[in-house]
Amino acid sequence: MNPLQAYELTIKGKLEAIPLPDMEDAIWARIKSQLDTDMPTDDGNDHGPAGGIPPRTWIGGGALLIFLVSLLAIFYNRNDRTVNNASQPANTIERSEDSILSNDQSPEIRNDNDVRSLTPQRGGVAVVDSGQAVPEQILEQQLPGLNLPDSAGGNAISLPDPSLNGPLVNSPPSVKDTLPPKKSRGVKNITDNDYKIVPKKDNE
Amino acid sequence: MLAVDNDIELLLEGCLANQRRAQEGLYRKFYGFAMSIAMRYSRDEHDAADIMSHAFVKVFKSIRTYDASKGSLHAWIKRIIVNEGLDHIKARQRFSENVEVETVEEPAINNGVLEQMGAEEIMDLIKKLPPATHAVFVMYVVEGYNHREIGEQLNISEGTSKWHLSEARKTLQQQLQHLNN
């Protein structure tokens, strides 16, 4: 502490108790304005210098929107493919490279005149060349719900033993299961006969 | 006391996170303390408001540099306010090396007159001092800085600081005698 004279102590005491002007809010407004310019915040209550939603919120919202749209597009494409696969002719099972085969194995295909038979491999699946008939019983066991036309019969085809370890092919769902039920069109209880034009007999 | 410290701790955390509500809370908590300091270095209320707004922006921008182990928050904020007040005075008058003295004069001043005066009247007397002399007088008498510290703050020698204090005392004596008469 500095050695002060009596009058200086009086001055000091009075200046420390000087009445303050009522400028608290006005000064805060100036401080806030400067801080919003120099140090903008992410607070929900705070806004940028020009008002409105801060830029960071826009960027975050945009990124989220793009992400959601991408998810929807992927989901939609997957469903579309599933529908396309299910709409193929029921008497053919095409080879699916991605899901069926393991990396180091491939099914052994032996040529035959009528039916190609396969030796089931570990993790493998029977593949039938297009146009060849497959016994209904066997196919229905493997592909329940599959609406099969009348087959011409033919030699049996060996299908993968479920007891074998390895990935099984997920049979595509039947067309009936995937497609939405068709709406009935036209007016009910009306037949083609109703549209026949029958000339009236003229009795006069 | 503990409750006040906890409040300030919470406000400090919010200020570190740049939260406006916390910054406003800290400002309002220190408004009275800071404004009374700002008033001592200003010519009028608007000058004091300038000092306050600039000082608190600096407080919030540099809040991360505050080290509680080195001193209280009051002392830290006071230093920023005083520095801002001195910057305002320097903008009006350059602190230059004038005459240096080794000892400060101590003229006799009637304390009774001063006791009858209000704080604003006394403030008006001090504001009539030249800016540099005003700053040295306030820093020495009210803030408690010694001449070495004043010299470091104002970039002047201790001798020049003593000279300014002597000049302040002589001028106040003359003004009070005039008022007494």
Side-chain angles (χ1 to χ4, degrees), chain A residues 2 5 7-8 10 14-15 20-21 23-25 27-28 30 35-36 38-41 45-46, chain B residues 18 20-21 24 27-28 31-32 35 50 53 61 106 109 111 114-115 117 119 122-123 140 145 169:
Chain A
N2 295 327
Q5 307 229 338
Y7 74 93
E8 288 173 336
T10 304
K14 289 198 183 269
L15 289 186
L20 303 176
M23 300 178 77
E24 195 170 343
D25 294 338
I27 295 171
W28 170 246
R30 290 170 60 171
L35 288 174
D36 286 342
D38 297 344
M39 294 167 48
T41 78
N45 294 329
D46 293 325
Chain B
N18 197 28
R20 282 293 175 269
R21 287 183 190 273
E24 184 179 359
Y27 157 76
R28 291 188 188 276
Y31 173 78
M35 191 59 168
D50 280 345
S53 59
K61 280 184 173 180
E106 295 181 5
I109 292 178
N111 195 35
L114 277 170
E115 284 175 353
M117 293 171 72
I122 293 174
M123 196 67 231
Y140 186 87
Y145 290 103
R169 286 173 171 170

Side-chain angles (χ1 to χ4, degrees), chain B:
Chain B
M1 190 67 178
L2 275 175
V4 173
D5 290 342
N6 285 340
D7 282 348
I8 292 177
E9 286 272 343
L10 287 170
L11 290 172
L12 272 175
E13 283 178 18
C15 290
L16 284 167
N18 197 28
Q19 292 173 2
R20 282 293 175 269
R21 287 183 190 273
Q23 289 164 339
E24 184 179 359
L26 193 75
Y27 157 76
R28 291 188 188 276
K29 211 166 196 50
F30 282 87
Y31 173 78
F33 167 74
M35 191 59 168
S36 63
I37 299 173
M39 290 283 285
R40 295 170 208 157
Y41 294 91
S42 58
R43 289 171 296 180
D44 51 34
E45 292 176 356
H46 300 291
D47 224 19
D50 280 345
I51 293 170
M52 283 284 284
S53 59
H54 289 132
F56 270 95
V57 169
K58 283 184 185 175
V59 164
F60 297 130
K61 280 184 173 180
S62 59
I63 196 76
R64 291 180 188 280
T65 64
Y66 166 63
D67 186 355
S69 64
K70 292 184 179 175
S72 69
L73 186 61
H74 279 80
W76 187 72
I77 290 177
K78 178 180 176 179
R79 182 169 280 274
I80 294 175
I81 304 278
V82 169
N83 286 341
E84 194 61 38
L86 293 176
D87 287 343
H88 267 67
I89 291 177
K90 285 177 194 174
R92 299 201 311 266
Q93 181 194 7
R94 196 173 155 218
F95 286 87
S96 57
E97 297 284 349
N98 295 329
V99 179
E100 289 196 15
V101 296
E102 286 191 7
T103 56
V104 183
E105 290 185 37
E106 295 181 5
I109 292 178
N110 188 348
N111 195 35
V113 176
L114 277 170
E115 284 175 353
Q116 290 174 12
M117 293 171 72
E120 289 174 338
E121 287 176 288
I122 293 174
M123 196 67 231
D124 285 341
L125 286 179
I126 294 172
K127 284 175 186 175
K128 288 176 183 172
L129 296 171
T133 305
H134 167 188
V136 170
F137 181 82
V138 170
M139 288 179 78
Y140 186 87
V141 170
V142 184
E143 311 298 350
Y145 290 103
N146 60 35
H147 290 292
R148 182 184 58 81
E149 290 166 336
I150 293 170
E152 286 171 2
Q153 288 270 4
L154 302 182
N155 202 25
I156 56 176
S157 65
E158 281 189 50
T160 302
S161 175
K162 289 177 183 176
W163 180 87
H164 279 293
L165 182 61
S166 293
E167 286 298 301
R169 286 173 171 170
K170 281 193 284 188
T171 306
L172 282 172
Q173 184 196 39
Q174 290 167 5
Q175 288 172 348
L176 286 169
Q177 277 181 349
H178 180 72
L179 283 173
N180 203 18
N181 294 336

